[in-house]
Amino acid sequence: IWTWGRQTQVAAPTVRKEASVVKVVVPQKLENVRLIRWVPLPTASAHILASMQQRLSQTLPKKPPSAVLWTCMLNLKTDWVLAKKIAAKITDPKYTLHDFNADLSAFPELNLYLLDERQTQGKTTVAGSAAPSNMSSGRTIGDEFQRTIGAFYAIYWLMRLEVDGKDGFANGVDDDWKPFQLTDADDMRVTHGDKRIGFKENAQWPFFHKLLVDAHLLEEKKVTSMFKTTTKLVVNEQRLVSLLALTAVHDIMKMSMILPEVQKQHEPYHGYGAGDIVGDHDHALAYVMEHFPDLLPSFRDLESSEKLSVKFTQCNLCFN
Protein backbone atom coordinates (compact mmCIF):
# COMPACT_ATOMS: atom_id res chain seq x y z
CA ILE A 1 0.00 0.00 0.00
CA TRP A 2 2.83 2.34 0.78
CA THR A 3 5.72 2.89 -1.60
CA TRP A 4 8.77 1.21 -0.13
CA GLY A 5 12.29 2.29 -1.04
CA ARG A 6 15.80 1.27 -0.14
CA GLN A 7 18.46 3.44 1.33
CA THR A 8 22.02 2.47 2.21
CA GLN A 9 23.31 4.29 5.28
CA VAL A 10 26.84 4.35 6.62
CA ALA A 11 27.26 5.75 10.13
CA ALA A 12 30.25 8.00 10.85
CA PRO A 13 33.27 6.38 12.52
CA THR A 14 33.49 6.85 16.28
CA VAL A 15 36.56 7.15 18.50
CA ARG A 16 36.69 5.14 21.72
CA LYS A 17 39.45 5.23 24.34
CA GLU A 18 40.24 2.01 26.20
CA ALA A 19 43.13 1.86 28.72
CA SER A 20 45.15 4.54 26.93
CA VAL A 21 44.54 2.81 23.59
CA VAL A 22 42.58 4.75 21.01
CA LYS A 23 40.38 2.63 18.77
CA VAL A 24 38.55 3.82 15.69
CA VAL A 25 35.32 1.87 15.34
CA VAL A 26 33.75 1.83 11.87
CA PRO A 27 30.15 0.55 11.99
CA GLN A 28 29.00 -1.95 9.42
CA LYS A 29 26.90 -0.69 6.56
CA LEU A 30 23.20 -0.57 7.35
CA GLU A 31 21.81 -1.88 4.11
CA ASN A 32 18.29 -2.55 2.98
CA VAL A 33 16.78 0.00 5.36
CA ARG A 34 13.08 0.27 4.57
CA LEU A 35 11.51 3.68 4.46
CA ILE A 36 7.76 4.17 4.55
CA ARG A 37 6.81 6.89 2.12
CA TRP A 38 3.41 8.29 2.91
CA VAL A 39 0.96 9.44 0.28
CA PRO A 40 0.81 13.25 0.45
CA LEU A 41 -2.38 15.03 1.40
CA PRO A 42 -3.97 16.91 -1.53
CA THR A 43 -4.04 20.70 -1.17
CA ALA A 44 -7.83 20.78 -1.41
CA SER A 45 -8.09 18.38 1.53
CA ALA A 46 -5.83 20.60 3.61
CA HIS A 47 -8.22 23.52 3.14
CA ILE A 48 -11.24 21.38 4.07
CA LEU A 49 -9.46 20.05 7.14
CA ALA A 50 -8.72 23.59 8.30
CA SER A 51 -12.42 24.42 8.01
CA MET A 52 -13.36 21.25 9.90
CA GLN A 53 -10.89 22.12 12.65
CA GLN A 54 -12.41 25.56 13.05
CA ARG A 55 -15.96 24.22 13.32
CA LEU A 56 -15.03 21.43 15.71
CA SER A 57 -13.36 23.90 18.05
CA GLN A 58 -16.76 25.43 18.76
CA THR A 59 -19.73 24.04 20.70
CA LEU A 60 -21.24 21.31 18.54
CA PRO A 61 -24.96 21.37 17.72
CA LYS A 62 -27.01 18.37 18.85
CA LYS A 63 -27.71 16.97 15.41
CA PRO A 64 -28.68 13.31 14.96
CA PRO A 65 -27.28 10.81 14.50
CA SER A 66 -23.81 12.27 15.24
CA ALA A 67 -22.97 15.88 16.03
CA VAL A 68 -19.36 15.42 14.90
CA LEU A 69 -20.32 13.79 11.59
CA TRP A 70 -22.94 16.45 10.94
CA THR A 71 -20.48 19.25 11.73
CA CYS A 72 -17.70 17.83 9.57
CA MET A 73 -19.89 17.22 6.53
CA LEU A 74 -21.76 20.53 6.71
CA ASN A 75 -22.04 22.06 3.21
CA LEU A 76 -19.57 19.58 1.70
CA LYS A 77 -20.41 18.23 -1.72
CA THR A 78 -18.95 15.57 -3.94
CA ASP A 79 -17.28 16.97 -7.05
CA TRP A 80 -19.03 14.73 -9.56
CA VAL A 81 -17.35 16.41 -12.52
CA LEU A 82 -13.99 15.40 -11.09
CA ALA A 83 -15.23 11.92 -10.15
CA LYS A 84 -16.51 11.33 -13.67
CA LYS A 85 -13.22 12.61 -15.05
CA ILE A 86 -11.45 9.82 -13.17
CA ALA A 87 -13.72 7.22 -14.75
CA ALA A 88 -13.30 8.70 -18.21
CA LYS A 89 -9.52 8.90 -18.07
CA ILE A 90 -8.53 5.94 -15.94
CA THR A 91 -7.23 3.88 -18.88
CA ASP A 92 -5.59 6.85 -20.62
CA PRO A 93 -1.80 6.28 -20.75
CA LYS A 94 -1.31 9.98 -20.03
CA TYR A 95 -3.46 9.89 -16.87
CA THR A 96 -0.84 9.31 -14.19
CA LEU A 97 -1.11 8.07 -10.62
CA HIS A 98 -0.22 11.60 -9.55
CA ASP A 99 -3.25 12.92 -11.48
CA PHE A 100 -5.45 10.22 -9.99
CA ASN A 101 -4.27 10.96 -6.46
CA ALA A 102 -5.07 14.66 -6.86
CA ASP A 103 -8.51 13.90 -8.32
CA LEU A 104 -9.49 11.82 -5.28
CA SER A 105 -10.26 15.12 -3.57
CA ALA A 106 -13.62 14.76 -5.37
CA PHE A 107 -14.81 12.65 -2.43
CA PRO A 108 -15.18 14.78 0.74
CA GLU A 109 -15.68 11.75 3.01
CA LEU A 110 -11.97 10.97 2.67
CA ASN A 111 -11.24 13.83 5.05
CA LEU A 112 -13.01 11.96 7.84
CA TYR A 113 -10.10 9.51 7.99
CA LEU A 114 -8.00 12.33 9.42
CA LEU A 115 -10.19 13.01 12.44
CA ASP A 116 -8.45 12.66 15.77
CA GLU A 117 -10.18 12.29 19.12
CA ARG A 118 -8.10 13.75 21.91
CA GLN A 119 -9.49 11.94 24.94
CA THR A 120 -7.46 14.02 27.35
CA GLN A 121 -9.04 17.23 26.13
CA GLY A 122 -12.50 15.80 25.57
CA LYS A 123 -12.59 17.36 22.12
CA THR A 124 -12.43 16.09 18.58
CA THR A 125 -9.77 17.67 16.42
CA VAL A 126 -8.24 17.13 13.03
CA ALA A 127 -5.01 15.19 12.78
CA GLY A 128 -2.28 17.16 11.11
CA SER A 129 1.42 16.58 11.39
CA ALA A 130 1.15 15.28 14.92
CA ALA A 131 1.79 11.67 15.78
CA PRO A 132 -0.96 9.32 14.52
CA SER A 133 -3.74 8.51 16.98
CA ASN A 134 -5.62 5.31 17.72
CA MET A 135 -8.79 4.20 15.95
CA SER A 136 -11.52 1.69 16.73
CA SER A 137 -9.89 -0.72 14.26
CA GLY A 138 -6.71 -0.88 16.34
CA ARG A 139 -4.79 0.96 13.64
CA THR A 140 -3.71 4.59 13.69
CA ILE A 141 -5.45 7.46 11.96
CA GLY A 142 -2.62 7.83 9.48
CA ASP A 143 -2.62 4.10 8.76
CA GLU A 144 -6.31 4.01 7.86
CA PHE A 145 -6.04 7.00 5.54
CA GLN A 146 -3.08 5.40 3.79
CA ARG A 147 -4.83 2.03 3.52
CA THR A 148 -7.88 3.66 1.97
CA ILE A 149 -5.73 5.52 -0.55
CA GLY A 150 -3.96 2.22 -1.19
CA ALA A 151 -7.31 0.62 -2.02
CA PHE A 152 -7.92 3.41 -4.53
CA TYR A 153 -4.49 2.78 -6.05
CA ALA A 154 -5.31 -0.92 -6.45
CA ILE A 155 -8.42 0.05 -8.43
CA TYR A 156 -6.32 2.41 -10.56
CA TRP A 157 -3.75 -0.27 -11.41
CA LEU A 158 -6.27 -3.06 -12.03
CA MET A 159 -8.22 -0.88 -14.45
CA ARG A 160 -4.95 -0.29 -16.35
CA LEU A 161 -3.67 -3.86 -16.74
CA GLU A 162 -3.25 -3.30 -20.47
CA VAL A 163 -1.33 -0.06 -19.92
CA ASP A 164 1.04 0.05 -16.93
CA GLY A 165 -1.10 -1.59 -14.28
CA LYS A 166 0.95 -4.76 -13.87
CA ASP A 167 4.16 -2.83 -13.14
CA GLY A 168 2.39 -0.41 -10.82
CA PHE A 169 0.50 -3.13 -8.93
CA ALA A 170 3.61 -5.29 -8.45
CA ASN A 171 6.37 -2.72 -8.05
CA GLY A 172 5.00 0.67 -6.95
CA VAL A 173 6.20 4.00 -8.28
CA ASP A 174 9.26 6.24 -8.13
CA ASP A 175 9.57 9.86 -6.99
CA ASP A 176 7.96 10.99 -10.26
CA TRP A 177 4.96 8.67 -9.73
CA LYS A 178 6.08 6.43 -12.61
CA PRO A 179 5.82 2.64 -12.16
CA PHE A 180 9.08 0.79 -11.61
CA GLN A 181 9.93 -1.59 -14.44
CA LEU A 182 12.08 -4.30 -12.91
CA THR A 183 14.37 -6.72 -14.72
CA ASP A 184 16.99 -7.21 -12.01
CA ALA A 185 16.05 -8.92 -8.74
CA ASP A 186 18.80 -6.92 -7.01
CA ASP A 187 17.45 -3.56 -8.14
CA MET A 188 18.18 -1.30 -5.16
CA ARG A 189 15.19 0.95 -5.81
CA VAL A 190 12.79 -1.56 -4.27
CA THR A 191 12.68 -4.30 -1.67
CA HIS A 192 12.18 -7.97 -2.55
CA GLY A 193 12.83 -7.43 -6.22
CA ASP A 194 12.79 -11.17 -6.89
CA LYS A 195 9.30 -11.53 -5.42
CA ARG A 196 7.99 -8.54 -7.34
CA ILE A 197 9.33 -9.86 -10.62
CA GLY A 198 7.95 -13.30 -9.84
CA PHE A 199 4.53 -11.90 -8.99
CA LYS A 200 4.31 -9.93 -12.21
CA GLU A 201 5.38 -12.92 -14.29
CA ASN A 202 3.26 -15.55 -12.56
CA ALA A 203 0.13 -13.74 -11.34
CA GLN A 204 -3.13 -14.93 -12.84
CA TRP A 205 -3.86 -11.61 -14.52
CA PRO A 206 -6.75 -13.06 -16.57
CA PHE A 207 -8.53 -13.76 -13.27
CA PHE A 208 -8.17 -10.11 -12.24
CA HIS A 209 -9.49 -9.13 -15.65
CA LYS A 210 -12.46 -11.50 -15.30
CA LEU A 211 -13.24 -10.00 -11.90
CA LEU A 212 -13.53 -6.55 -13.48
CA VAL A 213 -15.81 -7.91 -16.21
CA ASP A 214 -17.99 -9.83 -13.75
CA ALA A 215 -18.34 -6.67 -11.65
CA HIS A 216 -19.43 -4.80 -14.79
CA LEU A 217 -16.55 -2.36 -14.45
CA LEU A 218 -15.56 -3.39 -17.95
CA GLU A 219 -18.15 -4.17 -20.59
CA GLU A 220 -18.25 -5.10 -24.24
CA LYS A 221 -19.11 -2.45 -26.77
CA LYS A 222 -19.79 -3.03 -30.45
CA VAL A 223 -17.70 -1.03 -32.86
CA THR A 224 -18.92 -0.84 -36.42
CA SER A 225 -16.61 0.13 -39.26
CA MET A 226 -17.22 0.30 -42.97
CA PHE A 227 -16.58 -3.40 -43.48
CA LYS A 228 -17.29 -5.21 -40.19
CA THR A 229 -18.55 -5.03 -36.64
CA THR A 230 -16.24 -5.91 -33.78
CA THR A 231 -16.43 -5.75 -30.01
CA LYS A 232 -14.05 -4.22 -27.50
CA LEU A 233 -13.99 -3.81 -23.76
CA VAL A 234 -14.62 -0.32 -22.43
CA VAL A 235 -14.92 1.15 -18.93
CA ASN A 236 -18.41 1.26 -17.48
CA GLU A 237 -17.93 4.76 -16.14
CA GLN A 238 -21.09 4.87 -14.02
CA ARG A 239 -20.19 1.61 -12.31
CA LEU A 240 -16.61 2.72 -11.70
CA VAL A 241 -17.74 5.99 -10.12
CA SER A 242 -19.93 3.97 -7.75
CA LEU A 243 -16.97 1.78 -6.77
CA LEU A 244 -14.87 4.86 -6.10
CA ALA A 245 -17.64 6.35 -3.95
CA LEU A 246 -17.94 3.10 -2.00
CA THR A 247 -14.18 2.99 -1.46
CA ALA A 248 -14.26 6.53 -0.09
CA VAL A 249 -16.90 5.82 2.56
CA HIS A 250 -16.68 2.13 3.43
CA ASP A 251 -14.39 2.46 6.48
CA ILE A 252 -15.18 5.93 7.79
CA MET A 253 -17.01 4.56 10.82
CA LYS A 254 -13.74 3.22 12.18
CA MET A 255 -13.41 6.75 13.54
CA SER A 256 -15.28 6.21 16.80
CA MET A 257 -16.11 9.90 17.27
CA ILE A 258 -18.54 9.88 14.32
CA LEU A 259 -20.41 6.66 15.18
CA PRO A 260 -24.18 7.27 15.01
CA GLU A 261 -26.69 7.13 17.82
CA VAL A 262 -29.83 5.12 17.13
CA GLN A 263 -32.93 7.31 17.08
CA LYS A 264 -36.19 6.33 18.74
CA GLN A 265 -38.01 5.84 15.43
CA HIS A 266 -35.38 3.39 14.19
CA GLU A 267 -35.10 1.01 17.15
CA PRO A 268 -34.29 -1.81 17.32
CA TYR A 269 -31.45 -1.66 14.81
CA HIS A 270 -29.28 -4.79 14.65
CA GLY A 271 -29.75 -5.21 18.37
CA TYR A 272 -29.15 -1.55 19.25
CA GLY A 273 -31.87 0.41 21.07
CA ALA A 274 -32.72 4.10 21.06
CA GLY A 275 -29.84 6.15 22.43
CA ASP A 276 -27.28 3.40 21.81
CA ILE A 277 -24.14 4.14 19.82
CA VAL A 278 -23.79 1.69 16.92
CA GLY A 279 -20.37 0.26 17.72
CA ASP A 280 -19.96 -2.07 14.74
CA HIS A 281 -18.48 0.07 11.96
CA ASP A 282 -20.29 -1.81 9.17
CA HIS A 283 -23.67 -1.51 10.85
CA ALA A 284 -22.92 2.11 11.70
CA LEU A 285 -22.31 2.98 8.05
CA ALA A 286 -25.38 1.03 7.00
CA TYR A 287 -27.47 2.95 9.54
CA VAL A 288 -26.35 6.31 8.14
CA MET A 289 -26.88 5.13 4.56
CA GLU A 290 -30.40 3.97 5.35
CA HIS A 291 -31.61 6.81 7.56
CA PHE A 292 -29.29 9.81 7.09
CA PRO A 293 -27.94 9.56 3.52
CA ASP A 294 -27.60 13.34 3.23
CA LEU A 295 -24.53 13.11 5.47
CA LEU A 296 -22.75 11.04 2.79
CA PRO A 297 -22.93 13.04 -0.45
CA SER A 298 -20.82 10.51 -2.37
CA PHE A 299 -23.50 7.91 -1.63
CA ARG A 300 -26.58 10.15 -1.63
CA ASP A 301 -26.13 11.43 -5.18
CA LEU A 302 -25.56 8.06 -6.89
CA GLU A 303 -28.15 6.73 -9.29
CA SER A 304 -30.84 4.68 -7.54
CA SER A 305 -29.62 1.38 -9.01
CA GLU A 306 -26.04 2.10 -7.98
CA LYS A 307 -27.12 3.05 -4.46
CA LEU A 308 -28.80 -0.33 -4.15
CA SER A 309 -25.55 -2.06 -5.12
CA VAL A 310 -23.51 -0.02 -2.64
CA LYS A 311 -26.04 -0.61 0.15
CA PHE A 312 -25.98 -4.34 -0.59
CA THR A 313 -22.20 -4.52 -0.16
CA GLN A 314 -22.32 -2.60 3.12
CA CYS A 315 -25.63 -3.57 4.69
CA ASN A 316 -25.85 -7.18 3.55
CA LEU A 317 -22.33 -8.35 2.81
CA CYS A 318 -20.60 -6.04 5.34
CA PHE A 319 -17.89 -5.49 2.72
CA ASN A 320 -14.53 -4.68 4.27
Side-chain angles (χ1 to χ4, degrees):
I1 291 174
W2 293 294
T3 300
W4 292 85
R6 264 183 179 163
Q7 183 182 63
T8 301
Q9 296 180 343
V10 181
T14 60
V15 177
R16 186 171 67 228
K17 293 182 179 180
E18 294 181 359
S20 73
V21 178
V22 178
K23 292 184 178 180
V24 178
V25 182
V26 181
Q28 295 181 345
K29 291 183 178 180
L30 303 177
E31 297 183 344
N32 303 340
V33 176
R34 292 180 176 180
L35 300 177
I36 297 177
R37 304 176 64 186
W38 294 72
V39 176
L41 187 66
T43 302
S45 292
H47 292 308
I48 293 175
L49 289 174
S51 177
M52 288 168 54
Q53 176 71 77
Q54 192 275 330
R55 293 198 299 271
L56 290 172
S57 66
Q58 302 172 3
T59 301
L60 301 185
K62 294 183 179 181
K63 290 281 189 176
S66 165
V68 175
L69 179 60
W70 189 90
T71 301
C72 289
M73 298 305 295
L74 181 64
N75 297 327
L76 293 184
K77 298 179 180 179
T78 302
D79 188 337
W80 292 110
V81 173
L82 200 55
K84 292 175 181 178
K85 171 195 168 185
I86 295 175
K89 287 184 168 289
I90 198 155
T91 58
D92 185 342
K94 296 181 180 179
Y95 187 64
T96 67
L97 184 65
H98 182 271
D99 298 329
F100 177 73
N101 183 70
D103 291 343
L104 291 178
S105 61
F107 303 102
E109 294 88 352
L110 276 176
N111 301 299
L112 295 172
Y113 292 104
L114 294 168
L115 288 175
D116 174 17
E117 188 170 27
R118 308 286 185 177
Q119 296 290 352
T120 56
Q121 299 177 7
K123 293 183 178 180
T124 299
T125 59
V126 177
S129 58
S133 302
N134 291 332
M135 309 176 61
S136 62
S137 66
R139 301 168 182 167
T140 64
I141 297 285
D143 284 348
E144 199 60 48
F145 178 78
Q146 297 292 318
R147 284 177 170 84
T148 301
I149 297 299
F152 275 111
Y153 287 5
I155 295 171
Y156 173 84
W157 295 126
L158 290 174
M159 294 298 295
R160 296 168 63 89
L161 291 181
E162 303 304 318
V163 187
D164 54 4
K166 295 176 183 178
D167 283 319
F169 196 90
N171 305 325
V173 296
D174 61 19
D175 289 338
D176 296 319
W177 297 77
K178 295 179 180 178
F180 288 116
Q181 296 181 343
L182 302 182
T183 57
D184 183 0
D186 295 323
D187 194 320
M188 294 297 292
R189 297 175 299 170
V190 299
T191 57
H192 305 298
D194 55 336
K195 294 182 179 180
R196 295 174 186 272
I197 292 173
F199 178 82
K200 181 186 173 184
E201 292 178 349
N202 301 316
Q204 296 294 325
W205 297 112
F207 289 178
F208 287 99
H209 179 80
K210 184 177 184 301
L211 178 65
L212 300 179
V213 174
D214 291 346
H216 301 290
L217 294 167
L218 295 175
E219 59 184 6
E220 289 188 347
K221 180 179 180 181
K222 291 184 177 181
V223 179
T224 303
S225 64
M226 184 178 299
F227 302 104
K228 62 179 180 179
T229 298
T230 58
T231 60
K232 68 174 184 178
L233 285 174
V234 298
V235 175
N236 181 337
E237 296 181 13
Q238 183 185 54
R239 192 71 163 177
L240 179 57
V241 167
S242 299
L243 176 60
L244 296 173
L246 170 61
T247 304
V249 305
H250 86 282
D251 266 349
I252 58 173
M253 290 300 166
K254 288 182 178 179
M255 270 57 68
S256 59
M257 70 290 295
I258 64 171
L259 289 172
E261 178 183 315
V262 176
Q263 303 302 297
K264 179 67 176 178
Q265 63 270 30
H266 304 143
E267 70 168 346
Y269 187 82
H270 289 280
Y272 295 96
D276 290 343
I277 300 297
V278 183
D280 180 275
H281 72 271
D282 289 319
H283 289 158
L285 181 59
Y287 179 76
V288 175
M289 284 181 170
E290 291 174 2
H291 300 296
F292 298 91
D294 284 350
L295 293 174
L296 303 174
S298 296
F299 168 74
R300 176 196 63 205
D301 298 335
L302 293 174
E303 296 290 335
S304 297
S305 60
E306 295 301 308
K307 279 200 285 191
L308 288 175
S309 295
V310 171
K311 284 179 65 176
F312 177 76
T313 64
Q314 283 300 143
C315 306
N316 299 84
L317 295 182
C318 293
F319 168 74
N320 190 0

